[in-house]
């Protein structure tokens, strides 16, 4: 099994910054893609950003130029650095990892527990 533990959420004023972290642990054989989703109240979940093991990144349009995703493959950890935060960024942010374990070499998606990000105006 693979466990994802997130940290770094909180309350920040508009224009401020936050850095989210998500560390994967367990019987990990390999992790391909890691990323972040968010879901605001009354809205559909949306993919914010993802990064492959080779470093390719992709961002949702509304966060381009403001958010940066990165990862430390040695630590199986993904980060989301968020700058110039807006009230509309308020949501629960959940990380995920597409990985395989030593018990099962087929890839599965694993999820973190979610962390609240609140941006006040």
């Amino acid at each position: 099994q693979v466990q994802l533990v997130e940290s770094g959420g909180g309350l920040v004023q508009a224009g401020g910054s936050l850095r989210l972290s998500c560390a994967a642990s367990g019987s990990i054989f390999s992790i391909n893609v890691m990323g972040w989703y968010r879901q605001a109240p009354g809205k559909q979940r949306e993919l914010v950003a993802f990064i492959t093991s080779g470093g390719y990144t992709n961002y949702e349009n509304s966060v381009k130029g403001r958010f940066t995703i990165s990862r430390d493959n040695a630590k199986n950890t993904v980060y989301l650095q968020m700058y110039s935060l807006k009230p509309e960024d308020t949501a629960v942010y959940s990380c995920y990892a597409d990985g395989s374990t030593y018990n099962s070499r087929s890839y599965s998606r694993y999820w973190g527990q979610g962390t609240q990000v609140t941006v006040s105006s």
Side-chain angles (χ1 to χ4, degrees), residues 2 28 30-33 97-101 104 106-110:
V2 178
I28 299 169
S30 70
I31 295 179
N32 184 11
V33 181
D98 293 334
S100 61
T101 67
S104 173
S106 61
Y107 276 80
S108 297
R109 177 158 292 185
Y110 300 91

Side-chain angles (χ1 to χ4, degrees), residues 8 18 27 38 42 56 62 69 74 76 85 89 92 96-97 100 106 109-110 120:
L18 280 175
S27 183
R38 68 184 179 186
Y56 172 81
S62 69
I69 190 169
N76 290 321
L85 283 162
D89 294 317
V92 175
Y96 73 93
S100 61
S106 61
R109 177 158 292 185
Y110 300 91
S120 63

Side-chain angles (χ1 to χ4, degrees), residues 53-64:
S53 58
Y56 172 81
T57 61
N58 188 272
Y59 297 90
E60 196 271 329
N61 284 336
S62 69
V63 308
K64 286 180 180 178

Side-chain angles (χ1 to χ4, degrees), residues 18-73:
L18 280 175
R19 187 193 194 211
L20 306 182
S21 300
C22 172
S25 63
S27 183
I28 299 169
F29 179 72
S30 70
I31 295 179
N32 184 11
V33 181
M34 301 185 79
W36 296 88
Y37 277 84
R38 68 184 179 186
Q39 186 165 24
K43 294 188 177 181
Q44 286 190 331
R45 185 178 65 178
E46 64 177 357
L47 178 61
V48 177
F50 69 84
I51 183 169
T52 68
S53 58
Y56 172 81
T57 61
N58 188 272
Y59 297 90
E60 196 271 329
N61 284 336
S62 69
V63 308
K64 286 180 180 178
R66 299 189 298 121
F67 291 10
T68 300
I69 190 169
S70 61
R71 66 190 278 178
D72 184 331
N73 290 330

